[in-house]
Amino acid sequence: MKLKKVLALALACTTVAASFAGCGKKDDKVYKVGICQLVQHDALDAATKGFQDALKEKLGDKVTFDLKNAAGDSPTCGVIVGQFVSDKVDLIMANATASLQSAFAATADIPIVATSITDYATAMDIDNWTGKTGINVTGTSDLAPLDKQAAMIKELFPEAKKVGILYCSAEPNSKYQAVKVAEYLKELGLESEEFTCADTNDVAMVTSAACAASDVIYIPTDNMMAHSTGIVDGVAAPAGVPIVAGEAGICKGCGVATLSIDYYSIGYEAGLLAYEILENGKNPADMEIGYATELTKQYIKERCEKFNVEVPEDYVAVSIEEEEQ
């Protein structure tokens, strides 16, 4: 009996010791986060930086990042997130819609935090949207109020009658914005027509068609168009057709004005969501999607002067030269 008691006591001590050892391992754990960014441009770069900064501030050396860029190719996103799943990362950050779609198709187990997503219901084909995905996905949205963007077009170009909506047909969130903006423009008495590009090879031709049929062009938040602003500007500027953009990066490249959100901020907020999942065990399925709260009306001085646009006082002037420094 004494021997049994000694063995039982030894086993109990071993169990307790193992328990504390396990706690020590948890405290010492270094989280590995895989980041899949669709393409390199100012807005997405800022969101990624905000995400990394938030986690570094919260976790310090307890987090490492594997940052991969798909160079604008959606299938490459699938390859990247597939590798993350094989590597058994602790969390996947998906930056832009194609990255998110690839990530949640690849895993139902690894937590996914996304950012720079216009509309999660559209991106993930979710019916009866409640503000939460109900699965292993949460994140932040880059959607600026589309009714206010439509009102901006009317405000800056009161004589305009036809608005061309220019975007990439392969991006479902761009289609969502185009449909919504068209509804708001109609309420304001403006006609609109969609002009879509399948890939970068179409941009110049489709932009030319949009210029020929429009008084003003609107470009929503769109990754391919953000990557092609030089081409767009090279067509629209000589044609004398102004562009109102859905985000600051596109506006900088070819636009006259935008209702700007802060991409660093939404990336940072996504980082805080990731922290809650990694350290505090929060379930992404139960976490509300976050939205930008800081909105700024911006205009590009040089282009507004060229188009003789009268800009109201509540707009903030941005110079192309200042932005490029």
Side-chain angles (χ1 to χ4, degrees):
M1 293 295 292
K2 288 183 179 180
L3 179 59
K4 288 183 179 180
K5 288 182 179 180
V6 170
L7 289 174
L9 180 60
L11 179 60
C13 290
T14 302
T15 302
V16 172
S19 176
F20 278 107
C23 291
K25 287 180 181 177
K26 182 179 179 182
D27 289 343
D28 295 337
K29 178 177 176 61
V30 176
Y31 299 108
K32 186 173 182 179
V33 175
I35 300 176
C36 179
Q37 181 173 319
L38 174 61
V39 68
Q40 183 175 9
H41 65 68
D42 291 349
L44 298 190
D45 292 349
T48 292
K49 186 175 189 308
F51 177 84
Q52 291 177 302
D53 285 353
L55 277 181
K56 286 176 184 175
E57 288 174 15
K58 287 288 188 178
L59 296 173
D61 294 335
K62 289 178 62 178
V63 63
T64 63
F65 302 102
D66 185 2
L67 172 58
K68 303 291 187 186
N69 192 298
D73 184 58
S74 296
T76 301
C77 291
V79 175
I80 291 170
V81 297
Q83 187 60 56
F84 290 160
V85 173
S86 296
D87 292 343
K88 297 181 180 179
V89 297
D90 296 293
L91 182 141
I92 295 172
M93 192 277 246
N95 193 347
T97 300
S99 300
L100 169 60
Q101 291 172 328
S102 296
F104 89 86
T107 178
D109 301 316
I110 298 174
I112 299 166
V113 175
T115 191
S116 310
I117 311 298
T118 303
D119 182 68
Y120 281 77
T122 299
M124 302 173 66
D125 196 22
I126 299 174
D127 294 325
N128 303 316
W129 178 246
T130 64
K132 304 173 185 177
T133 67
I135 58 174
N136 62 317
V137 176
T138 190
T140 55
S141 170
D142 63 356
L143 180 64
L146 296 172
D147 56 340
K148 294 182 179 179
Q149 293 188 33
M152 177 181 285
I153 295 171
K154 182 73 172 179
E155 181 177 51
L156 295 176
F157 304 99
E159 303 302 319
K161 300 190 180 303
K162 295 183 178 181
V163 179
I165 303 175
L166 178 63
Y167 67 96
C168 174
S169 57
E171 298 190 31
N173 279 323
S174 299
K175 175 66 176 179
Y176 169 83
Q177 293 172 84
V179 170
K180 289 295 184 181
V181 165
E183 293 173 358
Y184 293 127
L185 290 171
K186 185 176 181 180
E187 292 175 3
L188 295 170
L190 293 168
E191 298 178 28
S192 65
E193 182 179 354
E194 293 184 7
F195 296 87
T196 62
C197 308
D199 55 45
T200 54
N201 296 322
D202 299 336
V203 172
M205 179 182 67
V206 176
T207 301
S208 180
C211 288
S214 313
D215 301 313
V216 183
I217 290 175
Y218 171 74
I219 301 178
T221 302
D222 182 291
N223 293 302
M224 193 191 79
M225 300 309 298
H227 199 57
S228 307
T229 56
I231 299 172
V232 175
D233 190 51
V235 175
V241 180
I243 295 171
V244 172
E247 58 94 4
I250 296 175
C251 187
K252 170 186 170 183
C254 62
V256 297
T258 184
L259 184 61
S260 175
I261 70 165
D262 184 348
Y263 273 81
Y264 179 89
S265 177
I266 62 169
Y268 191 93
E269 289 300 317
L272 296 181
L273 294 174
Y275 170 76
E276 291 296 329
I277 294 167
L278 292 171
E279 277 287 280
N280 297 324
K282 292 288 184 69
N283 185 349
D286 300 327
M287 301 173 78
E288 293 274 357
I289 299 300
Y291 292 86
T293 56
E294 299 177 15
L295 302 172
T296 305
K297 288 182 175 181
Q298 293 184 351
Y299 72 98
I300 304 296
K301 292 191 295 185
E302 294 89 340
R303 294 196 185 108
C304 283
E305 289 172 359
K306 175 183 176 181
F307 288 109
N308 296 315
V309 179
E310 294 186 15
V311 183
E313 293 183 357
D314 60 336
Y315 283 67
V316 176
V318 177
S319 169
I320 297 174
E321 284 77 12
E322 290 173 357
E323 286 284 288
E324 293 178 345
Q325 289 177 0

